[in-house]
Amino acid sequence: MPSKLKEIREQVKEELEHIPRGSQPQNELRMFYWPLRMNSLGKKSQNNDTKKEILKKSIEAVKKDYPDFIPQFDEIFFELKVKK
């Protein structure tokens, strides 16, 4: 595995430590976050979204199926407040 890809994977794994496992929608949040964030950090990325922007997109995606979902994540790490 190329070292750049390995670095990106390690970074995203570390970021996921700030999004705990939990309920079905909470786990889906983690599942959405991983590929979106990997893509945003990749060489061919066209958007270069930050971890905060990727988290927002992931939350929006989960809320399509779970409108009352209140995500759990490290607000300080992501510099984002949970909307309740």
Side-chain angles (χ1 to χ4, degrees), residues 12-84:
V12 178
K13 271 171 64 175
E14 192 274 325
E15 290 175 8
L16 272 177
E17 290 177 15
H18 298 273
I19 305 172
R21 288 183 173 87
S23 64
Q24 178 68 29
Q26 181 69 27
N27 291 338
E28 285 188 26
L29 175 63
R30 292 170 53 87
M31 288 181 355
F32 276 109
Y33 186 86
W34 177 271
L36 290 173
R37 187 62 172 144
M38 288 291 292
N39 186 275
S40 75
L41 294 170
K43 256 194 295 203
K44 297 178 183 176
S45 175
Q46 305 208 346
N47 60 17
N48 294 323
D49 285 342
T50 64
K51 62 187 177 191
K52 178 180 177 178
E53 293 165 329
I54 295 297
L55 182 59
K56 283 182 181 179
K57 288 180 181 181
S58 300
I59 291 168
E60 288 171 14
V62 173
K63 284 192 174 235
K64 287 179 183 172
D65 290 332
Y66 303 94
D68 298 331
F69 173 57
I70 299 174
Q72 297 175 354
F73 56 88
D74 183 336
E75 294 178 2
I76 295 168
F77 180 79
F78 286 101
E79 301 172 354
L80 182 67
K81 288 279 183 206
V82 176
K83 292 180 184 172
K84 297 181 181 177

